[in-house]
Structures are given as structure tokens and as C-alpha cells.
Amino acid sequence: MDIRRKIDCFLPCEDMQKAVQMAEQFQVRGVVNHIYLLVSGEMSADATLPDGVSTLVVDNILSKQAMLTMAEKTTADYALFYMKTSPITLGYQAVERFVQVASATDATMVYADHYSVEDGKTVKHPVIDYQLGSIRDDFDFGSLVLIGAGALKAYAKLHGETDYKFAGWYDLRLCLSRMGTLFHLNEFLYTEEENDLRASGEKQFDYVNPRNREVQIEMEKAATAHLGEVGALIDTGRYEQPDFEEENFDVEASVVIPVFNREKTIRDAVESALKQETDFSFNVIVVDNHSSDRTTEILSELAAEDERLIHLVPNRNDLGIGGCWNYAVNDEHCGRFAVQLDSDDLYSSEHTLQKIVDAFHEQNAAMIIGSYRMCDFDLNTLPPGLINHAEWTEENGCNNALRINGLGAPRAFYTPLAREVKFPNTSYGEDYAMGLAFSRNFRIGRIYEELYLCRRWGGNSDAALSIDKVNANNLYKDRLRTIELKARQLQNKRGDEEGAGKLNPFFTAN
């Protein structure tokens, strides 16, 4: 097998001396054709460079201009692109292995597992397989990818008029995924220094940080264009209107609280719900998923004090959070609207429930999502503070929802549709799945003021996750996006005469 195909390397450069040292390990005889150091304009002055190494001026290494410049300068069979300025150490024959796999698979791009140096310690950093629904802009490829020159140059011809300052790399890899396979090699081919050592619970909210708004606008444009190219773009002008009078309910709303072993927080959550002041009748449905601590005892005490508290213990032991939600909304006590409250959290005021139910009618929406504030157990605000998902727009929120990792809280559903769609029986991503399915055919209403307090404390399970857990979560949410993207493609293909406006269960490709 011939692995001696030529590649051109593109390496970012902030310090010329360090970049030249880094370039030395990429000079693989018989494989590497040329090495380009990507520099800003102020660094473009002539420097003494080794043979086979030169500089390229780019505005931003992830901009479209940088992608097009790479396409123009690539004369070899492949382009090897490193996307960080921190040091990298190539594994034994890593470059040859990249080329060998690309040649064998005919992939448009190859990426691999790697090691990370974190606080001086080298740890494994596996990544996950790319799939149709892996369109979130924070997909982790690692920092070193091998791109087929033919695909790279085809992108340059098809790139369109949009000039992305930040979303160039994102736009390119979406295009590469349409052209062919993005191949994940489960081998640790290099070691990179990791400077972002924040916990997973902090990183996950970067996309809603107002300081990143300019970046997010570009990412949304690129994602929307991609959905259009693959036939999965939703036209909100074809939305259905929910009929809130189609069924009779004993109460107008139910606050739904799934719980397992939350003796420290469940009383606060239930009391927060029972204290709501409304001009309609409501109840609180707690699905106690066979708690083994004092949770069940506390709920029994509260239910004896207030008949509005419906304490349900499922007759089966295989329910995740989503299964508990299905159990609640299908119970005879569930009201017209089912409103979320996690067992760790609180409503911000006594008026939250009223505002949510009012929003259903005012916005003619089948689902409502509010805004929440991150806080500690003492209700002190934690970064990033208010999460209001201001990136949502009436026209394109349903499409941008496939790019981002969450839709916000608290979430509320028109009960007949929640019964029809059904939550996946999982304890992660079940709410996101419902939001995607609802937004395919019905409007999601938004409330941008604080309604909810999301408490982070020592018992939380999602504040600082291992890389394996982060990967498992991301793989599952990508799978949800794949399911939804396929459902949207099929719905668009069928068109009006096939009843494209009907909402089928999430796991049925409409």
C-alpha cells in the first residue's frame, strides 16, 4: 500500500521561533510537500525559515479567508491542518498513519484521538464518531485534521458569497461532511497542551455568553445554509396552531417533578411549586422513581398537608427522567399544560406558573421555554448568570436548535401533544429531544425574563464530567439530532399532500 502521498501542512504561528521548532517534526521525508505557517499581518515580515517552510498571512486561522487560502496553496494530495497555537507533539509515524487511513477510506477528512497535557499531566482524550446530526459547532475533532485536497478545492469553488470571520472552519467541515465521510480514527496520534481547564459545566454555556454573540450569529448562518443544502430546513410559515380546547382537563396546569434520592432539595422544590399564585387551578405531580433515601417520606408528609400534591410511584423500575415525564403527563391528574421543575431547582417567584400559562395563549405556542439563572445552593449567582437563549429567533430558532446543545428552562408542554410525541426514556437529552420534535411543526414560545433558579451544588451530577461522560452525552445528543434531521428531510420530501404538518412521535421519522 502506497502511503507516500504528499501533504501540505498548515500550522498557526504566534511566535516564529516556537512555530519553526514545531514545524520541524512535521517535516516527514517523502510525505510532507510543504509547511505553511499561518501568521497575522504584523508578523508577515521576512524571517529566516528552513527549506520547505514559508508563511501565509491570514486574518484568523478559523476564518473563511484562511480556509480559502489553504485551498489555494494546497498542491499536494492532502492538507494537514493544526488549529491551535499551543505546542503539539506528533506520535510515532502519526503523519504517515493519517495519510494511510485517508487513502484507504477515501474520506474527505480524517481526525483522531489524542493525548492532552492538563496541569502537567498527560491524559487520554478520545473523541467520538461523526454522524449526520453532528452539526453543533463545538464538535470536538481534536486540533489536528487531514483534509483531502480535492474536497478542499471543491469547497473553494462552492463556498458562496458569505464571508465568515469566525465560522470559516465550521462552514468548511459542514461542506466536507456533505461531500463524503469525516472519518474518526480510534488511535492516539498526537499530544497537545490543553489550556482551557474549566469544568464541563462551565464550558457548556459558552454559546449563550453575550460576549460570543458575533461568533454565534455567523455559526447560525453557516448551520442554516447547511440544513438548506441537505433538505432539512424548516419553514415556520407552515406551522400548525394548537387547539387548546380539544380536550377537557380537571386542572389547567401541572408542575411535573421527577425525583430520585433528593432528600436535600425536594421539599424546597415542591414548596416552590405549591406557592405559585394563579388565576387557574393547578397541581404538582411528583414522580418518585423509587427513592431509597428520605425523599419518599418527605413527599408523603407534604402530600398529607396539601391535596394538590400528587405523589406518584411508578409500578416499574426501568424509568429514566424521560420515562417519569411520560408517566406524569399520561396520569389522569395531569393538567392541560405540563410545566417542568427539576428536583434540585426552584421557581424564581410565585408568578412563574401564571406567566408560563399566559404565554401559551398569548404566543399560540405548543411549548414554552423560559429563562433561568445559574446559582449555588445559597442562591448566589454563578457564571454565566442568566441563561435566556437570546439567540432564538421566531423565524429560525427551530433550525438553529440543531446547532446548539440545549434550549433552556423551564420547559412547558401542551399535554395532548406531549402525550403524542413522548419523551425518550433516558435521563439525559430527553427535554432537548422534545424541543426538537415540537419545533418541527409547532411554534415554541419564549419568555426571556428570569423564571427559574438552577442550583449547582455538591450533589449535582453534571457540573464536572469526565471526558468519557462528556463524549457519551455528546454522542447521544448527536444521535437525537440525526433522528430529527432525518425526520425533517422526510417531512420536506413528502410535502403538503403527504401531511407534512402532522406531528408524529419523536422516534418515528414522521
Side-chain angles (χ1 to χ4, degrees):
M1 182 180 296
D2 179 18
I3 65 169
R4 297 174 66 84
R5 297 190 177 205
K6 302 290 187 179
I7 68 174
D8 290 318
C9 300
F10 298 86
L11 314 176
C13 173
E14 288 184 337
D15 181 295
M16 188 63 69
Q17 182 177 357
K18 292 181 180 179
V20 169
Q21 292 174 349
M22 180 170 63
E24 290 177 356
Q25 64 181 315
F26 284 86
Q27 292 178 308
V28 181
R29 181 170 300 186
V31 178
V32 172
N33 176 53
H34 198 86
I35 297 175
Y36 295 97
L37 303 181
L38 305 178
V39 302
S40 60
E42 55 267 24
M43 290 185 61
S44 60
D46 291 338
T48 302
L49 299 174
D51 291 340
V53 179
S54 59
T55 59
L56 283 178
V57 177
V58 296
D59 52 356
N60 178 333
I61 62 171
L62 301 182
S63 70
K64 174 170 279 190
Q65 181 257 334
M67 302 304 109
L68 298 180
T69 299
M70 285 197 299
E72 178 186 356
K73 293 297 183 180
T74 298
T75 58
D77 296 311
Y78 301 99
L80 188 64
F81 180 33
Y82 180 52
M83 289 174 272
K84 284 188 175 180
T85 57
S86 55
I88 183 174
T89 302
L90 295 176
Y92 181 58
Q93 295 186 332
V95 173
E96 294 94 327
R97 183 59 172 158
F98 265 115
V99 176
Q100 182 185 50
V101 172
S103 176
T105 63
D106 196 30
T108 53
M109 189 179 90
V110 176
Y111 64 103
D113 296 344
H114 59 277
Y115 297 101
S116 291
V117 179
E118 302 175 3
D119 282 334
K121 182 180 179 181
T122 300
V123 297
K124 286 185 175 180
H125 191 113
V127 292
I128 62 175
D129 289 353
Y130 196 91
Q131 54 184 297
L132 181 67
S134 299
I135 73 167
R136 53 192 169 86
D137 58 73
D138 64 348
F139 187 92
D140 183 9
F141 293 100
S143 57
L144 188 65
V145 298
L146 186 75
I147 304 169
L152 183 59
K153 290 184 178 296
Y155 166 77
K157 293 179 180 179
L158 299 171
H159 70 85
E161 300 300 321
T162 306
D163 182 20
Y164 295 119
K165 182 179 178 182
F166 307 103
W169 157 244
Y170 179 52
D171 186 52
L172 169 60
R173 63 96 157 169
L174 289 175
C175 184
L176 293 175
S177 74
R178 298 194 298 269
M179 294 179 184
T181 301
L182 306 189
F183 190 88
H184 169 212
L185 179 59
N186 303 77
E187 299 174 16
F188 295 86
L189 293 190
Y190 59 96
T191 302
E192 64 178 28
E193 289 193 12
E194 180 55 68
N195 297 320
D196 187 354
L197 301 179
R198 294 175 299 159
S200 60
E202 295 180 60
K203 294 179 182 178
Q204 66 177 322
F205 297 110
D206 286 351
Y207 68 97
V208 294
N209 189 328
R211 291 177 295 179
N212 299 332
R213 188 70 189 119
E214 186 180 0
V215 176
Q216 294 304 313
I217 289 173
E218 284 199 4
M219 298 295 183
E220 180 176 353
K221 287 181 180 179
T224 303
H226 172 73
L227 292 174
E229 290 290 336
V230 299
L233 200 64
I234 291 297
D235 178 4
T236 58
R238 301 168 68 180
Y239 270 174
E240 289 186 32
Q241 298 296 319
D243 179 6
F244 295 140
E245 305 303 323
E246 66 177 315
E247 293 186 31
N248 294 320
F249 292 87
D250 292 337
V251 295
E252 187 70 2
S254 292
V255 176
V256 176
I257 308 176
V259 63
F260 174 73
N261 286 358
R262 281 293 185 263
E263 62 180 11
K264 183 176 180 180
T265 62
I266 189 59
R267 182 182 296 274
D268 290 344
V270 169
E271 291 179 347
S272 172
L274 290 172
K275 288 178 182 177
Q276 293 300 297
E277 298 176 0
T278 66
D279 60 13
F280 52 80
S281 60
F282 73 92
N283 60 25
V284 179
I285 300 178
V286 179
V287 183
D288 180 4
N289 201 10
H290 305 283
S291 297
S292 57
D293 62 0
R294 290 189 64 251
T295 296
T296 302
E297 178 185 343
I298 293 169
L299 289 170
S300 297
E301 294 172 358
L302 292 170
E305 298 170 359
D306 195 322
E307 64 180 8
R308 295 176 300 166
L309 175 58
I310 312 299
H311 179 197
L312 302 180
V313 179
N315 56 5
R316 55 191 307 148
N317 297 293
D318 62 348
L319 300 185
I321 293 174
C324 290
W325 260 95
N326 291 332
Y327 198 87
V329 299
N330 283 286
D331 187 82
E332 62 181 356
H333 297 94
C334 192
R336 192 180 314 276
F337 303 107
V339 185
Q340 170 246 345
L341 178 60
D342 287 352
S343 58
D344 291 338
D345 302 332
L346 306 170
Y347 288 143
S348 292
S349 77
E350 292 78 19
H351 308 295
T352 290
L353 190 57
Q354 181 72 55
K355 291 177 180 178
I356 290 173
V357 171
D358 287 347
F360 272 106
H361 298 283
E362 293 166 359
Q363 301 187 40
N364 235 352
M367 179 178 174
I368 296 293
I369 305 177
S371 303
Y372 63 98
R373 176 166 58 89
M374 299 292 298
C375 61
D376 60 21
F377 200 69
D378 296 320
L379 307 188
N380 299 307
T381 301
L382 297 175
L386 182 68
I387 308 294
N388 62 6
H389 284 270
E391 82 285 345
W392 184 276
T393 63
E394 179 71 19
E395 302 79 17
N396 202 50
C398 59
N399 294 306
N400 194 43
L402 285 164
R403 179 186 68 87
I404 60 179
N405 244 347
L407 300 180
R411 299 165 292 275
F413 309 90
Y414 179 40
T415 297
L417 288 176
R419 289 171 175 171
E420 186 178 347
V421 177
K422 299 180 179 60
F423 289 79
N425 185 25
T426 63
S427 292
Y428 177 79
E430 74 291 335
D431 51 345
Y432 182 63
M434 288 290 277
L436 292 180
F438 267 73
S439 69
R440 193 191 319 157
N441 291 279
F442 288 91
R443 184 182 182 205
I444 292 182
R446 307 296 306 215
I447 301 175
Y448 294 105
E449 63 181 281
E450 180 189 307
L451 299 179
Y452 190 94
L453 299 175
C454 183
R455 299 194 288 182
R456 285 285 184 264
W457 56 288
N460 280 124
S461 58
D462 58 351
L465 303 179
S466 68
I467 183 61
D468 289 337
K469 184 61 176 176
V470 169
N471 282 345
N473 287 348
N474 283 332
L475 186 67
Y476 179 63
K477 275 198 173 177
D478 283 355
R479 186 66 67 195
L480 294 177
R481 295 184 187 95
T482 295
I483 295 169
E484 179 60 28
L485 201 151
K486 284 181 173 290
R488 294 182 181 199
Q489 288 176 323
L490 183 57
Q491 175 171 286
N492 289 342
K493 184 178 179 180
R494 285 175 172 172
D496 289 335
E497 65 235 25
E498 292 291 330
K502 294 180 180 179
L503 179 62
N504 285 342
F506 181 79
F507 286 100
T508 301
N510 212 11

